[in-house]
Amino acid sequence: GDKAFAQFLTDEIKEERKIQKHKSLPKVSGGWELEVHGTEAKLVRKIAGEKITVTFNINNSIPPSAEEDTQEEQKPDEQEPELTSTPNFVVEVIKDDTKQTLVLDCHYPEDEVGHEGEEESDIFTIREVSFQPTGESDWKDTNYTLNTDSLDWALYDHLMDFLADRGVDNTFADELIELSTALEHQEYIKFLEDLKSFVKCQ
């Protein structure tokens, strides 16, 4: 069984490499620096007196596909639908002269992704906003967290503009999907390779 498994993985890796769009990770425009630690990625940008970081993790970032019912009709030579990674991401805005960090928890609403052409709508939404002490790795549950579900829309718009002024806008969100998808695919291939070595190991 293991031999067949290893052979299957070898073929699978070959296929995945064939459809791999990016040999190296795509860049995000606007002067963002990228750091990657395993499945977690961090984008950092400094502007006058502020540091903006955007963190996301590719684990569980691929929404469940809606095409599961149609798989019966899929012709054998058809390409599988392309998987897109739309991770939640956290934006932190740190001002040099304060001890607080403004933290905005953002995500891609499942029904929004893929509706191009609607100029008005943003492709990501802000879910929660809070202040956290700068430099603390553990965030406190005792700090007030603003949930945007019941938020005055004018305040919400200002928050979106606040992000856009710092380079976190629809273009950024599109490029983040691109980057995350490439990173996810890269990690998937690496996982298949590790699995193959593990299966072959006697």
Side-chain angles (χ1 to χ4, degrees):
D2 285 2
K3 241 191 206 117
F5 191 10
Q7 187 50 53
F8 167 79
L9 288 168
T10 306
D11 298 342
E12 196 69 6
I13 290 164
K14 222 177 267 161
E15 280 308 302
E16 291 295 334
R17 281 198 187 288
K18 215 182 291 174
I19 60 171
Q20 195 172 16
K21 273 211 294 230
H22 303 279
K23 291 291 168 254
S24 59
L25 293 173
K27 293 258 185 291
V28 175
S29 59
W32 294 90
E33 283 173 32
L34 173 67
E35 300 167 23
V36 179
H37 304 285
T39 58
E40 189 173 85
K42 186 185 203 173
L43 290 156
V44 183
R45 180 173 189 242
K46 292 192 173 80
I47 49 175
E50 290 182 9
K51 176 177 162 187
I52 296 103
T53 68
V54 177
T55 321
F56 64 93
N57 194 317
I58 57 162
N59 280 337
N60 305 320
S61 65
I62 293 183
S65 78
E67 287 95 38
E68 302 215 330
D69 319 331
T70 58
Q71 254 173 357
E72 305 310 306
E73 299 117 62
Q74 207 181 9
K75 298 179 188 64
D77 55 346
E78 264 183 43
Q79 274 284 303
E80 287 177 25
E82 206 169 295
L83 295 175
T84 307
S85 161
T86 50
N88 297 346
F89 59 97
V90 175
V91 183
E92 295 171 58
V93 180
I94 302 161
K95 288 189 187 272
D96 290 349
D97 46 3
T98 68
K99 299 273 181 287
Q100 286 184 315
T101 299
L102 182 64
V103 179
L104 302 103
D105 196 345
C106 304
H107 75 140
Y108 295 97
E110 272 169 37
D111 47 356
E112 289 297 324
V113 177
H115 292 309
E116 280 92 34
E118 297 173 19
E119 271 312 293
E120 290 308 296
S121 84
D122 289 298
I123 61 172
F124 70 96
T125 59
I126 302 170
R127 223 179 353 200
E128 291 182 344
V129 187
S130 67
F131 279 111
Q132 297 296 345
T134 301
E136 305 247 336
S137 53
D138 295 331
W139 291 341
K140 297 179 171 55
D141 287 339
T142 50
N143 288 11
Y144 179 74
T145 300
L146 174 68
N147 193 309
T148 56
D149 289 345
S150 52
L151 201 56
D152 175 344
W153 63 267
L155 175 54
Y156 182 83
D157 281 349
H158 278 297
L159 284 168
M160 287 298 273
D161 291 344
F162 176 84
L163 282 182
D165 289 343
R166 282 150 184 81
V168 180
D169 52 14
N170 275 350
T171 308
F172 172 86
D174 265 334
E175 291 180 1
L176 188 128
I177 290 178
E178 185 96 351
L179 168 64
S180 181
T181 303
L183 184 60
E184 202 282 333
H185 199 196
Q186 184 178 297
E187 285 294 315
Y188 175 60
I189 292 174
K190 194 166 153 296
F191 172 79
L192 291 178
E193 285 168 342
D194 290 346
L195 187 56
K196 188 176 92 175
S197 331
F198 186 82
V199 169
K200 280 175 122 170
C201 183
Q202 292 305 322

